[in-house]
Amino acid sequence: YTIQKGSVVAYVSDDGRYLLQGDLIDLESSVNLSEQSRSDSRRVLMKSLDDEDAILFSPAEPKYSVTVFTDVDCTYCRRLHGQIDEYLEHGIEVRYFLYPRGGPASRSWNTSEEVWCSKDRGDALTQAKLDREFETSNCDASAVSDHYIMGQEVGLSGTPAIVLDDGELIGGYMPPDALRMRLEQKAAVEELE
């Protein structure tokens, strides 16, 4: 039997004695069935999220949308955000979710809460990634905890983590041109199906 909680997929014998956690691969079709299940789970989760639960950077006419789990102190997260205008020029909408890798007691967690409580979250995120000060206020910052838990459910192992609409997880930074090409290829395949 297959059991799954979020992105964790495991297999258990019908008598409950044996549990196997790892990837199940269909050798005939060369399809990783476990990753397919994880992607399906992430796709459903991404569709359930509202834009107001994220920090949104959107072009005038979005062609694609991606969700990025980011840490304000992560070097490659900063590189990705430093190119945000290029992603937008390619028609890629970026929905950021805050994922302070150090956890609740870290400096980046506190900064993430301050970003969330800012009147202009997009500008605050930009300033935080540049190690600059920004205006913030007191608010219910439980969204940071929600984002963190969601990141764990998605199965990310680091930041940045990019989740495409179809549930594919890209672990790490991807330059704007490469991401656009990946999204174009996926769109072309979908048109053929």
Side-chain angles (χ1 to χ4, degrees):
Y1 293 96
T2 302
I3 55 174
Q4 183 169 0
K5 181 176 188 314
S7 66
V8 177
V9 179
Y11 307 94
V12 65
S13 61
D14 62 355
D15 63 0
R17 180 175 176 190
Y18 299 101
L19 177 92
L20 173 69
Q21 189 171 350
D23 287 348
L24 179 64
I25 299 177
D26 180 334
L27 295 176
E28 190 172 298
S29 64
S30 296
V31 172
N32 183 329
L33 300 174
S34 300
E35 184 56 34
Q36 196 172 50
S37 291
R38 288 189 285 268
S39 290
D40 289 345
S41 177
R42 286 189 292 261
R43 180 181 40 76
V44 169
L45 178 61
M46 293 303 108
K47 284 187 178 198
S48 74
L49 303 174
D50 292 326
D51 286 344
E52 52 270 359
D53 295 331
I55 300 174
L56 189 65
F57 285 81
S58 186
E61 294 182 34
K63 296 177 190 171
Y64 312 103
S65 179
V66 298
T67 300
V68 177
F69 288 85
T70 192
D71 182 322
V72 295
D73 293 325
C74 153
T75 301
Y76 282 100
C77 297
R78 288 178 175 198
R79 177 180 285 176
L80 187 152
H81 191 67
Q83 296 175 305
I84 194 69
D85 290 337
E86 291 177 55
Y87 291 99
L88 298 177
E89 287 169 12
H90 289 314
I92 302 171
E93 175 181 79
V94 177
R95 297 188 319 164
Y96 279 117
F97 286 86
L98 301 167
Y99 190 84
R101 296 168 300 161
S106 67
R107 184 178 78 84
S108 61
W109 187 284
N110 295 336
T111 303
S112 295
E113 287 182 336
E114 291 170 358
V115 165
W116 189 256
C117 290
S118 175
K119 287 182 182 170
D120 185 343
R121 292 177 182 150
D123 181 63
L125 182 63
T126 300
Q127 299 308 317
K129 287 180 179 285
L130 294 170
D131 287 325
R132 295 182 184 156
E133 293 193 17
F134 54 89
E135 271 191 51
T136 189
S137 58
N138 290 326
C139 79
D140 176 6
S142 62
V144 175
S145 182
D146 295 342
H147 293 179
Y148 189 76
I149 291 166
M150 190 183 333
Q152 292 174 331
E153 288 178 10
V154 164
L156 56 105
S157 58
T159 57
I162 304 168
V163 183
L164 307 184
D165 280 346
D166 68 353
E168 179 184 351
L169 175 64
I170 300 170
Y173 165 76
M174 183 173 271
D177 289 338
L179 183 57
R180 185 202 66 213
M181 285 175 38
R182 177 80 139 272
L183 293 166
E184 286 174 350
Q185 288 170 347
K186 283 185 167 286
V189 167
E190 285 178 16
E191 283 183 24
L192 295 174
E193 292 178 348

